[in-house]
Amino acid sequence: MSEDKAVTTPAKSGGATLTRDTAPGEVLLKVTGLQKHFPIRKGLLQRQVGAVHAVDGIDFEVRSGETLGVVGESGCGKSTMGRLITRLLEPTAGKVEFEGQDITHLGVGGMRPLRRDVQMIFQDPYSSLNPRHTIGTIVGAPFRLQDVTPAGGIKKEVQRLLGVVGLNPEHYNRYPHEFSGGQRQRIGIARALALNPKLVVADEPVSALDVSIQAQVVNLLDDLQQELGLTYVIIAHDLSVVRHVSDRIAVMYLGKIVELADRDQLYKSPMHPYTKALLSAVPIPDPRRKEAKSERILLKGDVPSPIAPPSGCRFHTRCWKATQICTTAEPPLVELRPGQQVACHHPENFEDQQPQDTVLLTVAKEAAELVADEVLAESAQTSAALAAEVRTDEDAAGSGTGEAAEPAAAADDATGPAGSTESAGSTGPAEEPDEPAKGDAKGDDK
Amino acid sequence: MTELSKTGAAVGEPTGTSPAPTSFLEVRDLRVHFPTDDGLVKSVDGLSFQLEKGQTLGIVGESGSGKSVTSLGIMGLHTAGQYGKRKARISGEIWLDGTELLTADPDHVRKLRGRNMAMIFQDPLSALHPYYTIGQQIVEAYRVHHDVDKKTARRRAVEMLDRVGIPQPDKRVDSYPHEFSGGMRQRAMIAMSLVNNPELLIADEPTTALDVTVQAQILDLIRDLQKEFGSAVVIITHDLGVVAELADNILVMYGGRCIERGPAEKVFYEPRHPYTWGLLGSMPRLDREQQDRLIPVKGSPPSLINVPSGCAFHPRCPYADLPKDNATRTVRPELELTEAGSRHWAACHLTTEQRERIWTEEIAPKL
Amino acid sequence: MLAYLIRRLFAAVVMLVVIVMVVFGIFFLVPKWAGVDIATSFVGKQADPAAVEAVRQKLGLAEPIYVQVWEFFKGIFVGRTYAGGGDVTQCAAPCFGYSFRSEQAIWPVLTDRFPVTLSLALGAAVLWLLFGVAAGVLSALKRGTLWDRGAMLVALAGVSLPIYFTGLLSLAVFSYGLGWLDAEYVPFSDGIGTWFGGMILPWVTLAFLYAAMYARITRATMMEILGEDYIRTARAKGLREGVVIRKHAMRSTMTPLLTMLGMDLGALIGGAILTETTFSLPGLGQAVLNAIKNQDLPIILGVTLITSVAVLIANLVVDVLYAVIDPRVRLT
């Protein structure tokens, strides 16, 4: 019944037709400085003693027709983010704009018209469907709530939707418990599609499903996007699934976006050390690589508490490249390469942003113990190569502007910035993987 | 289900039916059935395999394939929590180091549990008692099998916590499970299972509830510990990536039976069952170029009350019509060697040649 | 832990003051709104106006309500003086006022009757915990067997049969019929044996109802706990089944029972009206029943206060025990 068949183009439902005023590629959703803090209250008077910084200042855009994947580990704030942009939660600060309209603080009534355009698919297909309602009622509910009568009536439209998601339209009168997990997720999708939304936010849409069923649902989401021109924000912890479905991917860590990049760039040359660690941690279904585990970056310890996130860069407590500046200055999310934004002082696969700061923190040295030498050397090499590339570019463009990008060669001689010389001198050789020139030397040693 | 009786013996199994197993762990024709109001749930229905010390067997399958029940059956925990009349029925043979567990004295099996065979569970938060400290729980596990005083046992607990990488073990030993993070809990759980140096360790989805970076830590830990203790490990998971990381041999379960098993390399590179192909095709892979589309298995996993006749996979199999005489729907296929002399078995009505051709020509290129 | 206790105690005291004010409001203001004059009802319906006025003066009923509340509190802690119409009555420290009917001080009435109710409630609690929990655990372990069905049938009967039925039945059989036991309250100080003998029937009757409820809850909780993952872990360690049940399952089963016990004990200490009436035990319940019939507001006020204090203390004890059993609720 739930065969993986191609979706037939659904007829536009009469009543639910909405004007598509955002052309593909244009910004559909824009988020700036978005924050959500959940207060922690204690004591008799319920004083606020702190807050969970679930989402702590993130900026991104979703363009019409694309799929933005959001990955991160539990507690990184990705689900909260999903609920903020669908306005199931109200942000503490920041701004959410949908099609240019500020929806940050719209009330229930104000959001009502937008509920047609923005829909959500939830993780758990078991608890997100009311067990007492037939699937006809469930899928048809959006029409009743929005007071929309599709051409041909609700029942006909619901049956069409069931067909679109690969369910038997004759099962209109069945109850959720009569369906398997994968089929329930299809019901959830049908409900989300009922009003022809522009943006669908899916929070872990396949993680509760079996592997073989996951693929069915992933393909279905894919087909629906092509057929209906949907825009997705897909939140998931599974990096393989996210890569498969996304055009661009945001990596979150402790309430922040640490990297936001086009899919292929992110997976081929991740710049944030956390992204790199995350990617390397995914078990590869290939027994021949069992012995070649050296590229894996094991992170030290656990994610710190979002109640008191670390100062500066939030990843500095676990990063093997962290230096002094990482503890004090929060790196901004900047576009280092076209289509790749990173918030890091010492990115991978790119020239160092803070080359004068070379003294590794003690924690970073401990963390580096867990990282294979090959990885460190390789990372240093790529950084050096890129730095050299940038330098030549800048030389060609005219000298004088290359001050900041000069460090690699400059670090060793006295002409470099004073701080850099000192630190390089005091820490001894071959300890700084993020210091390109020395990293090179280390690579040769091994 | 009439053909079941005929196939009761593990036809074609390497060790036959001789009662003197040479393997460290040998399971023969294991069946675990649960009577329910809706009918008999045949969670495991004729499963056989062997495992040597120092080796890791990965059991792969979807929910309801019987993989967890298999592990509970080996541990003798399948009836746990079942009181009253409707007890689970178990049959077959489970040989652990020369002892047959199903016919052995239950109290003897209890003594083996925790000492000779131990288990790690999926969700360490619910698997640890919320009211006792980590230390109390490990001490208890140690003292069941060792006649030592609490102090000695506590030292042992601290030592184990240290071994599994818990910082400040002498302090953390007095923490409660809820004061640990998910990864730390699973480490504590592993410390608890290994406290008696078990020869057999069964890990049931040990990393499913964990984040990917923590998963990497735990898999690393399990691998190291196995090297150190030389125990036999059964790892049960739905994640082919996890199996590929750890397992020497892989057993794929479907509908309560084994449909393919063999060395990990064989199962990944020359799979000989359409369901295994389906699993491989369903999975987006980070180590390959971006696939255009995943190749899912159609339909849903079977109900264990009404397992489809013949080959349980036939309603979902794209090649179900190839074998003649409608065999897929009427005859249950037995495990057969894919190649004489290999240790690679598959249960499929397609001929070896057909499967080889389909795999190399149709499936492999698309993965 | 200590800070937690102090905070809880403080909260309990605040709670008590609020309860007193509400009770005061209900018992002194509501009659006023309803057009019933307390002074008149104190004296009697055909009293002459002068006597009524004297009572009104004496009880301070003419004062504004906040003065009355203040006087009431003062009475409890330092005693108060009723002066009016030249007639001065000293009421010593725990002064809860005077009964409208008997003109007796309330406090001695409460202290006389409190031990009766306390021995009834505590004794019954011991019984119902012993038998209710044991029956529940056994039922859970022998689910679906004849024992389980039998025990649950008895429990169903226990829950549904009213106390005056089971009480009268037991009186008829054991007291009047067989003559084995007498249901009569004899103070503890007059001999443990007689006290005990007199309480057996009320205890059993009251405990039967509660044991039935506790058995059902215990069975359900136990069955749920036995399905928990950590029970499976305990078995996987190789523990004996008895240890698994006693050490692992029982401790978890205790927590919901404890919560119930706190509420039930608290409420019973305020008076087990039906049991006391059935067995003619001179407890708080009986007193309050008579007070309601006679519109004897000061007694109702006193018993309500005692009940509130009992419930609050019981809950405090439960909270502490809860924290001892479940480390997750150990708050600072």
Side-chain angles (χ1 to χ4, degrees):
Chain A
M1 167 176 23
S2 43
E3 288 192 18
D4 179 63
K5 60 182 177 200
V7 176
T8 46
T9 314
K12 280 273 175 339
S13 51
T17 306
L18 291 158
T19 46
R20 298 207 167 270
D21 42 12
T22 311
E26 278 174 35
V27 174
L28 182 67
L29 180 84
K30 186 173 160 66
V31 170
T32 24
L34 189 66
Q35 271 189 10
K36 180 68 188 180
H37 293 180
F38 295 102
I40 304 167
R41 296 179 195 282
K42 262 193 181 158
L44 263 183
L45 305 170
Q46 293 291 294
R47 269 173 307 131
Q48 186 177 338
V49 293
V52 178
H53 300 237
V55 171
D56 209 11
I58 58 175
D59 309 85
F60 63 90
E61 292 171 354
V62 183
R63 294 172 208 140
S64 189
E66 76 166 347
T67 301
L68 177 72
V70 181
V71 280
E73 298 182 276
S74 46
C76 71
K78 56 186 193 300
S79 287
T80 308
M81 190 278 292
R83 283 169 165 71
L84 287 173
I85 59 175
T86 47
R87 281 302 323 282
L88 297 175
L89 285 173
E90 186 164 357
T92 311
K95 200 168 166 190
V96 183
E97 287 166 275
F98 183 76
E99 295 190 309
Q101 187 195 351
D102 186 348
I103 62 166
T104 320
H105 299 291
L106 282 187
V108 178
M111 275 305 291
R112 182 168 286 252
L114 277 151
R115 293 267 172 246
R116 286 188 191 186
D117 294 344
V118 183
Q119 284 290 334
M120 194 150 183
I121 299 170
F122 296 95
Q123 167 176 8
D124 189 351
Y126 292 87
S127 61
S128 60
L129 302 179
N130 187 336
R132 289 171 207 287
H133 289 171
T134 63
I135 66 166
T137 317
I138 291 171
V139 176
F143 296 115
R144 286 179 206 104
L145 288 173
Q146 289 282 348
D147 214 6
V148 170
T149 316
I154 292 180
K155 182 172 178 185
K156 206 172 160 204
E157 178 64 11
V158 168
Q159 290 186 328
R160 186 188 67 79
L161 284 164
L162 292 179
V164 167
V165 298
L167 292 171
N168 187 342
E170 282 161 27
H171 293 165
Y172 182 87
N173 278 323
R174 295 202 178 176
Y175 288 88
H177 71 264
E178 297 174 70
F179 293 89
S180 68
Q183 290 170 327
R184 281 182 225 209
Q185 197 55 292
R186 287 170 191 268
I187 298 170
I189 294 171
R191 175 175 59 182
L193 293 180
L195 294 169
N196 234 330
K198 293 173 184 162
L199 176 67
V200 174
V201 177
D203 189 358
E204 302 275 10
V206 297
S207 54
L209 307 174
D210 271 320
V211 190
S212 68
I213 310 297
Q214 265 188 17
Q216 295 173 2
V217 174
V218 164
N219 281 352
L220 173 66
L221 288 173
D222 232 13
D223 294 336
L224 291 172
Q225 181 167 42
Q226 279 176 19
E227 304 286 339
L228 306 173
L230 293 171
T231 308
Y232 289 136
V233 172
I234 293 187
I235 299 163
H237 70 279
D238 186 325
L239 286 112
S240 332
V241 168
V242 166
R243 180 178 87 151
H244 188 84
V245 297
S246 310
D247 299 311
R248 291 190 306 138
I249 293 161
V251 181
M252 287 186 72
Y253 184 77
L254 269 179
K256 290 272 185 192
I257 292 179
V258 295
E259 185 159 3
L260 175 57
D262 292 346
R263 173 190 57 207
D264 292 337
Q265 283 184 39
L266 187 96
Y267 280 85
K268 285 207 180 88
S269 63
M271 287 197 195
H272 200 285
Y274 177 66
T275 314
K276 188 160 179 168
L278 206 56
L279 287 174
S280 79
V282 177
I284 300 299
D286 184 348
R288 282 184 196 155
R289 291 177 57 158
K290 194 154 90 176
E291 300 310 319
K293 289 276 152 40
S294 50
E295 316 108 76
R296 171 157 298 162
I297 299 166
L298 284 180
L299 287 181
K300 207 166 68 73
D302 295 307
V303 181
S305 157
I307 296 169
S311 62
C313 172
R314 295 189 171 190
F315 189 55
H316 85 252
T317 52
R318 304 171 77 198
C319 183
W320 62 99
K321 305 180 86 180
T323 59
Q324 191 55 42
I325 191 165
C326 302
T327 65
T328 50
E330 189 177 320
L333 186 68
V334 286
E335 188 157 11
L336 291 183
R337 251 205 305 253
Q340 192 160 13
Q341 292 169 281
V342 189
C344 180
H345 293 305
H346 309 293
E348 294 276 316
N349 298 312
F350 201 73
E351 66 175 305
D352 206 316
Q353 297 299 293
Q354 300 291 340
Q356 75 285 1
D357 204 32
T358 53
V359 186
L360 280 184
L361 299 174
T362 326
V363 282
K365 283 182 192 150
E366 284 167 20
E369 299 279 309
L370 293 171
V371 183
D373 293 338
E374 292 88 340
V375 177
L376 293 181
E378 183 204 304
S379 125
Q381 245 163 2
T382 48
S383 296
L386 271 155
E389 218 171 275
V390 172
R391 205 164 44 246
T392 14
D393 285 358
E394 274 166 357
D395 283 348
S399 51
T401 50
E403 198 74 42
E406 210 173 327
D412 271 328
D413 38 70
T415 56
S420 154
T421 327
E422 267 174 39
S423 51
S426 59
T427 45
E431 278 293 321
E432 285 79 26
D434 42 6
E435 221 263 43
K438 299 202 168 194
D440 245 350
K442 183 181 175 181
D444 292 342
D445 285 348
K446 299 273 156 168
Chain B
M1 295 299 112
T2 44
E3 59 277 0
L4 266 189
S5 48
K6 284 188 287 182
T7 61
V11 183
E13 290 297 318
T15 45
T17 49
S18 98
T22 49
S23 299
F24 172 66
L25 172 71
E26 181 158 346
V27 172
R28 287 182 193 161
D29 195 34
L30 181 69
R31 280 156 209 266
V32 188
H33 295 179
F34 298 93
T36 68
D37 289 337
D38 300 323
L40 193 62
V41 177
K42 296 176 180 171
S43 290
V44 182
D45 204 24
L47 182 73
S48 308
F49 64 85
Q50 305 93 20
L51 178 62
E52 304 300 336
K53 268 194 191 174
Q55 293 271 309
T56 302
L57 173 73
I59 301 185
V60 189
E62 298 181 272
S63 51
S65 62
K67 54 191 196 304
S68 286
V69 176
T70 304
S71 63
L72 292 174
I74 296 171
M75 291 287 291
L77 296 175
H78 55 284
T79 52
Q82 287 199 320
Y83 289 90
K85 281 190 286 188
R86 290 194 154 173
K87 284 231 161 97
R89 294 179 208 151
I90 190 163
S91 67
E93 293 165 44
I94 301 169
W95 293 87
L96 179 75
D97 207 8
T99 313
E100 206 289 300
L101 301 180
L102 294 184
T103 49
D105 171 34
D107 201 53
H108 179 67
V109 178
R110 174 185 68 76
K111 283 178 186 152
L112 295 178
R113 216 178 286 148
R115 190 180 63 201
N116 297 54
M117 50 183 182
M119 195 159 172
I120 307 171
F121 298 99
Q122 172 173 353
D123 180 2
L125 181 59
S126 60
L128 290 165
H129 200 299
Y131 295 175
Y132 293 100
T133 64
I134 297 289
Q136 285 169 336
Q137 302 191 44
I138 300 180
V139 163
E140 184 183 44
Y142 192 59
R143 291 185 75 208
V144 192
H145 302 293
H146 292 85
D147 190 17
V148 294
D149 58 23
K150 280 193 176 165
K151 248 191 184 159
T152 318
R154 191 187 146 92
R155 266 204 303 277
R156 171 80 181 154
V158 174
E159 184 188 312
M160 285 310 295
L161 288 179
D162 189 40
R163 177 61 199 85
V164 298
I166 288 182
Q168 297 180 294
D170 48 334
K171 292 209 179 69
R172 300 299 272 169
V173 72
D174 294 320
S175 301
Y176 288 93
H178 69 274
E179 295 167 326
F180 273 36
S181 68
M184 286 294 158
R185 272 181 223 130
Q186 195 57 294
R187 283 172 194 267
M189 188 78 213
I190 292 173
M192 191 164 86
S193 3
L194 294 182
V195 71
N196 296 311
N197 287 335
E199 296 155 309
L200 171 66
L201 178 67
I202 302 175
D204 186 359
E205 303 268 11
T207 58
T208 307
L210 305 175
D211 275 321
V212 61
T213 58
V214 182
Q215 164 169 287
Q217 296 169 350
I218 297 293
L219 292 181
D220 206 53
L221 178 66
I222 294 179
R223 197 181 309 119
D224 283 357
L225 290 171
Q226 176 175 30
K227 262 185 209 145
E228 189 179 323
F229 292 91
S231 35
V233 174
V234 178
I235 184 148
I236 290 158
T237 177
H238 68 280
D239 186 335
L240 289 171
V242 171
V243 188
E245 292 262 326
L246 292 179
D248 306 298
N249 288 289
I250 292 175
L251 190 157
V252 185
M253 284 189 79
Y254 189 82
R257 292 174 69 101
C258 167
I259 52 103
E260 178 161 9
R261 75 180 159 90
E265 288 237 348
K266 286 275 183 196
V267 174
F268 272 98
Y269 286 102
E270 296 164 34
R272 287 295 177 263
H273 194 285
Y275 176 63
T276 317
W277 302 340
L279 281 183
L280 288 167
S282 297
M283 199 180 37
R285 294 178 64 154
L286 278 190
D287 58 331
R288 301 278 167 87
E289 286 300 309
Q290 176 80 24
Q291 302 109 301
D292 272 351
R293 273 180 86 72
L294 300 174
I295 316 158
V297 188
K298 64 178 181 181
S300 319
S303 137
L304 291 173
I305 294 176
N306 271 317
V307 182
S309 63
C311 172
F313 187 59
H314 86 254
R316 305 176 72 190
C317 182
Y319 313 103
D321 292 324
L322 287 184
K324 55 182 188 305
D325 298 340
N326 219 7
T328 43
R329 287 172 185 83
T330 51
V331 184
R332 176 145 294 181
E334 292 304 327
L335 279 176
E336 281 164 21
L337 279 177
T338 57
E339 216 180 303
S342 76
R343 293 183 298 113
H344 185 192
W345 305 71
C348 181
H349 283 303
L350 297 173
T351 63
T352 321
E353 295 71 35
Q354 277 173 323
R355 280 178 275 157
E356 208 175 314
R357 187 189 54 76
I358 294 173
W359 166 252
T360 45
E361 288 173 17
E362 292 179 28
I363 310 289
K366 282 197 241 162
L367 291 183
Chain C
M1 192 72 171
L2 193 70
Y4 171 73
L5 271 183
I6 290 170
R7 245 197 0 251
R8 281 302 308 253
L9 263 176
F10 178 71
V13 170
V14 171
M15 195 67 197
L16 268 184
V17 171
V18 172
I19 289 173
V20 168
M21 298 206 312
V22 171
V23 169
F24 209 92
I26 291 170
F27 289 132
F28 281 79
L29 283 182
V30 173
K32 202 181 207 168
W33 296 333
V36 179
D37 185 34
I38 294 174
T40 317
S41 60
F42 190 91
V43 180
K45 281 202 174 101
Q46 278 92 37
D48 74 288
V52 171
E53 190 51 36
V55 168
R56 195 190 310 278
Q57 284 300 319
K58 192 171 173 182
L59 293 180
L61 294 174
E63 305 283 344
I65 180 76
Y66 60 88
V67 177
Q68 292 190 38
V69 174
W70 171 246
E71 286 289 332
F72 180 77
F73 275 119
K74 218 177 86 186
I76 293 175
F77 294 104
V78 297
R80 67 192 278 195
T81 311
Y82 291 96
D87 175 19
V88 178
T89 314
Q90 264 296 330
C91 180
C95 174
F96 283 79
Y98 290 88
S99 160
F100 288 175
R101 294 290 159 212
S102 60
E103 298 200 27
Q104 277 180 312
I106 303 294
W107 181 243
V109 175
L110 296 181
T111 47
D112 274 358
R113 287 168 174 269
F114 186 63
V116 183
T117 304
L118 192 68
S119 26
L120 176 64
L122 287 183
V126 170
L127 276 185
W128 86 58
L129 276 182
L130 275 178
F131 289 96
V133 173
V137 169
L138 277 176
S139 276
L141 295 183
K142 298 180 181 292
R143 186 184 319 167
T145 59
L146 213 58
W147 155 266
D148 177 29
R149 279 164 210 217
M152 283 306 118
L153 200 70
V154 173
L156 186 66
V159 174
S160 33
L161 293 178
I163 289 224
Y164 45 82
F165 176 80
T166 46
L168 288 177
L169 190 70
S170 66
L171 272 179
V173 176
F174 296 104
S175 187
Y176 311 131
L178 299 167
W180 290 354
L181 291 162
D182 253 343
E184 190 186 7
Y185 180 73
V186 182
F188 195 69
S189 45
D190 290 6
I192 295 181
T194 37
W195 167 78
F196 195 84
M199 291 303 287
I200 287 181
L201 280 186
W203 279 341
V204 170
T205 306
L206 186 56
F208 184 47
L209 167 70
Y210 281 91
M213 294 198 293
Y214 277 62
R216 287 158 67 96
I217 302 278
T218 306
R219 178 177 182 269
T221 316
M222 191 73 176
M223 268 162 42
E224 197 187 310
I225 301 284
L226 285 173
E228 291 284 347
D229 284 359
Y230 55 79
I231 298 299
R232 191 179 56 188
T233 309
R235 292 200 178 97
K237 286 177 184 177
L239 294 176
R240 285 197 171 80
E241 190 61 20
V243 180
V244 173
I245 302 293
R246 264 179 285 125
K247 202 173 157 191
H248 291 262
M250 272 312 286
R251 191 163 164 189
S252 307
T253 312
M254 291 297 287
T255 32
L257 291 182
L258 207 61
T259 314
M260 269 179 61
L261 185 65
M263 305 291 278
D264 290 341
L265 260 188
L268 276 183
I269 286 171
I273 295 180
L274 280 178
T275 319
E276 287 173 17
T277 314
T278 309
F279 293 97
S280 310
L281 295 173
L284 288 174
Q286 213 185 42
V288 88
L289 189 65
N290 291 331
I292 292 168
K293 279 191 286 194
N294 298 329
Q295 292 185 322
D296 198 349
L297 301 181
I299 289 201
I300 300 176
L301 192 61
V303 175
T304 309
L305 262 181
I306 295 244
T307 314
S308 312
V309 172
V311 171
L312 282 174
I313 290 176
N315 272 326
L316 196 64
V317 172
V318 162
D319 278 352
V320 172
L321 285 179
Y322 213 106
V324 170
I325 293 181
D326 187 345
R328 287 172 300 181
V329 297
R330 232 164 258 178
L331 300 163
T332 44

